[in-house]
Amino acid sequence: MSLFGIAWRTIRQRLLTSGLTALSLALGVALVVATLVIGNIVTQAFKSGSGLGYNMIVGAKGSPLQLVLNSVYLVSKPIENISWAFYEEFLPAASRPDGVAGTFAGSVQTAVPICMGDYFSGYRVIGTSASYFDRLTYGGGAPSGLPRWLGRLLGRSTAAAPPRAFAFAEGRNFRDDEFFGGVLGSEVAAKLGLKAGDPFAPTHGADDGLVHDPFTVTGVLARTDTPVDRGVYVNMEGFYLQEGHAKPVEGATAAKPMDHASGTPAPLPREQREVTAILVETVSLPGLPAELTAMALKTQINEGRDGQAAEPIREISVLLGLFVRPLELLLLLVTTLVVIVSAIGILVSMVGSSLERSRDVAVMRALGASRGQVLATVLIEAVILALGGGLAGWALGHVLVAAIGPLITTNAGVSATVLSAAPTAELLLVPFLIALAILAALMPALAAYRTDVAKWLG
Amino acid sequence: MEPEQAAAGKLPSMPSPVVELENVRKAFAMPGGETVAVLDIDRFALDEKEQVALTGQSGSGKSTLLHVISGIMRPDTGRVRIAGHDITRLGEAATDRIRADTLGLVFQQFNLLPGFTALENVLVAMSFGTGKPDRWRATDLLASVGLSHRLDHKPGELSIGQQQRVAVARALANRPRVVLADEPTASIDTAHQDQVIDLLTSTCAEHDVALLVVTHSPEVAARFPKRLRLEDFNRAAVHHG
């Protein structure tokens, strides 16, 4: 019988104690893994803005971070609105009523307006144009989680993936002339059980606000694992026609929406329109880096009085530095404590059973086992418990992440599955934890090493 | 054979005696600082295949003598030779190996490993010897003590008598030259004492193994052709007896 066999039978002999020891380690590792993975998911969620298809957000003057959080992540409140006239400064000549290109049009490749303030069953309603889904993209950036780790392991490129165009799981994008058409993010459709052709009526300002006219779902987006999944996108022409959405202008009559079922309603006059933000993709001018164009445009906008320009990537990195990194440090501290507690658990358990073990060790020594062999047996026992508990905990951690995945998706707009991972941290921490558990077993192992055979044999 | 050689391989047959003690002294320090001599033996020997009953009063040093012979305890002075090897001059690892390969121990409380089956208890003993654990031989040994139907039973599932049989089979696991039995009948009723002694004597005779049984029972000692009183050759026992 090998030393491994002896250690294994000793574990079976003390099944309850051994099981509880492994379970305590498994729970510790599971907590560590879940914490690491969720931390990684949240970080990746904020970094996912790199493939948005726009590199600048223009909105009312105020906090640029708030502007980004509101426009990209659909959290926080909008700052204020900006005028339609200011929005038109980003449009080319062909899109303007006066036939003259806007002030910033030369630096702009795409400008998509968004209007916010309404809700539908707890989800944000965003009034926008069809170009949102026709021109913008999502995704991009380096792959995360298991795919990235596997990529590294297999020596495959983990370079940034190209941004992807929006795809529809069902139906299609609304047309600009479909004033009461709307597109639902995948999570919204799944949670609310809506499909193409279904009506839905947003509410004003909050879920219990004034109920607006119904829109019709023209399409449901395929899952993007971005905040878009939890957005309700409606044609902004229909959005403008809702009560309380027209900017009060002296002398102007508030637009009354026509019955959209019986004909095309009249659009809201330009002077009564406002937008919450403009998603801008700057042009890449020949011979000039795109960043330089963006920087020049940003400076030009920010020097004016009409609004501010914010770069999502920059703001996100400020956010990461201000909040996420310290949070990660805190998580690391917590996980370190968990690791230590787990190791102490192993120690307490093995020391606790050392009295019971001493007699067996004495018998084995009397049968001719060397001190080294009994030391090795106890260490092998610890390795089996640590590996078993550690690997079970590692799997359990991922199951935990998958279990709370829907909650993460709701709050961070990214998917969390059993394959979500924090590869580097996991590869370092899990073996470290197992090693620590084995280290903790050294004390009872040394006690076995020093067992007084004559004393225990009586 | 040098100690290193002894540690490296199975020991070849050596001329008798198989156990030999010379000028062995062993004393223990008491908590008050007093030293109490337990063994003071000029000479003791056990020949190959010899079967001896060693009697002595309680506290006469019987268990200490067995611990010294088996190398579990080192004497303060003197020589202990097992199959020709002076274990007092060997390192601990070499002594452990000689104990595993040359000596078989049967304890008063049997001391079977409770989490292991009867077969595994014999295999564990084999795993500490020089040879490889041999499942067939372990099975044969248990069959020879009448336990072929209890191979997969743990000690808790066996009767006292059956546990004692497992202990005897385990003592013979590594083809020892001598079996040392410490009060092997102390835990069993009088009716079964004869059976245990018969088992030990016949099994050791069958395997050509010397047997030294330590007992306080005159009835048990009477079953052996050769009987020794510890008080007769241990001066420390005389002094305390």
Side-chain angles (χ1 to χ4, degrees), chain A residues 348-372:
Chain A
V348 168
S349 164
M350 296 198 77
V351 167
S353 61
S354 62
L355 270 183
E356 194 182 346
R357 188 197 313 278
S358 293
R359 186 190 148 277
D360 290 357
V361 166
V363 171
M364 285 194 271
R365 292 273 291 117
L367 294 177
S370 67
R371 288 184 193 274

Side-chain angles (χ1 to χ4, degrees), chain A residues 151-422:
Chain A
R152 280 184 186 170
L153 197 70
L154 298 172
R156 292 188 184 149
S157 167
T158 54
R164 285 170 282 177
F166 287 102
F168 283 82
E170 184 192 344
R172 56 172 175 77
N173 190 7
F174 57 77
R175 296 190 310 272
D176 281 331
D177 61 357
E178 282 179 300
F179 283 15
F180 290 90
V183 164
L184 302 181
S186 61
E187 185 195 316
V188 179
K191 283 278 166 63
L192 303 180
L194 290 172
K195 56 186 186 305
D198 287 346
F200 65 97
T203 51
H204 190 71
D207 275 330
D208 56 355
L210 175 71
V211 179
H212 290 314
D213 291 327
F215 286 73
T216 302
V217 179
T218 63
V220 174
L221 289 166
R223 185 171 168 156
T224 63
D225 291 335
T226 71
V228 172
D229 290 346
R230 50 199 168 96
V232 176
Y233 297 86
V234 298
N235 189 325
M236 69 180 185
E237 294 299 338
F239 184 91
Y240 281 137
L241 295 177
Q242 301 310 305
E243 191 170 343
H245 287 187
K247 179 185 170 187
V249 176
E250 208 163 315
T253 318
K256 291 283 181 189
M258 291 173 62
D259 179 5
H260 54 280
S262 60
T264 307
L268 188 73
R270 289 171 56 240
E271 62 272 19
Q272 288 184 268
R273 295 175 172 221
E274 287 180 311
V275 298
T276 306
I278 312 163
L279 311 178
V280 175
E281 169 72 3
T282 54
V283 291
S284 296
L285 296 172
L288 268 182
E291 293 80 9
L292 208 61
T293 315
M295 198 181 296
L297 179 62
K298 183 181 172 186
T299 308
Q300 194 181 357
I301 293 168
N302 287 344
E303 281 174 352
R305 291 184 304 173
D306 295 314
Q308 66 160 333
E311 292 172 75
I313 304 280
R314 186 182 298 273
E315 296 307 324
I316 289 159
S317 101
V318 168
L319 178 71
L320 287 173
L322 273 178
F323 300 107
V324 180
R325 297 268 144 70
L327 197 65
E328 279 182 329
L329 275 177
L330 186 67
L331 287 178
L332 197 65
L333 184 71
V334 171
T335 51
T336 307
L337 287 175
V338 169
V339 165
I340 292 170
V341 168
S342 299
I344 290 174
I346 288 252
L347 175 67
V348 168
S349 164
M350 296 198 77
V351 167
S353 61
S354 62
L355 270 183
E356 194 182 346
R357 188 197 313 278
S358 293
R359 186 190 148 277
D360 290 357
V361 166
V363 171
M364 285 194 271
R365 292 273 291 117
L367 294 177
S370 67
R371 288 184 193 274
Q373 283 174 313
V374 294
L375 178 104
T377 305
V378 178
L379 283 181
I380 290 170
E381 188 185 328
V383 169
I384 294 172
L385 289 179
L387 273 179
L391 292 176
W394 180 71
L396 183 65
H398 282 274
V399 171
L400 261 178
V401 171
I404 57 172
L407 195 68
I408 298 172
T409 306
T410 304
N411 290 290
V414 290
S415 69
T417 68
V418 76
L419 291 180
S420 301

Side-chain angles (χ1 to χ4, degrees), chain A residues 1-3 5-6 9-10 12-13 359-360 363-371 373 453-454 456-458, chain B residues 63 67 72-73 92 96-97 99-100 105 107 111-116 120 123-125 127-128 133 154 170 174:
Chain A
M1 183 177 290
S2 63
L3 294 182
I6 294 172
R9 277 159 184 80
T10 308
R12 275 177 30 199
Q13 178 187 339
R359 186 190 148 277
D360 290 357
V363 171
M364 285 194 271
R365 292 273 291 117
L367 294 177
S370 67
R371 288 184 193 274
Q373 283 174 313
V453 182
W456 284 97
L457 292 180
Chain B
S63 294
H67 288 161
I72 289 171
M73 201 178 274
E92 190 179 63
D96 291 338
R97 182 53 56 87
R99 182 162 62 249
L105 301 178
F107 307 97
N111 284 341
L112 298 179
L113 297 170
F116 295 64
E120 287 168 348
L123 286 169
V124 165
S127 64
F128 300 132
K154 290 184 178 173
R170 184 178 66 178
N174 292 325

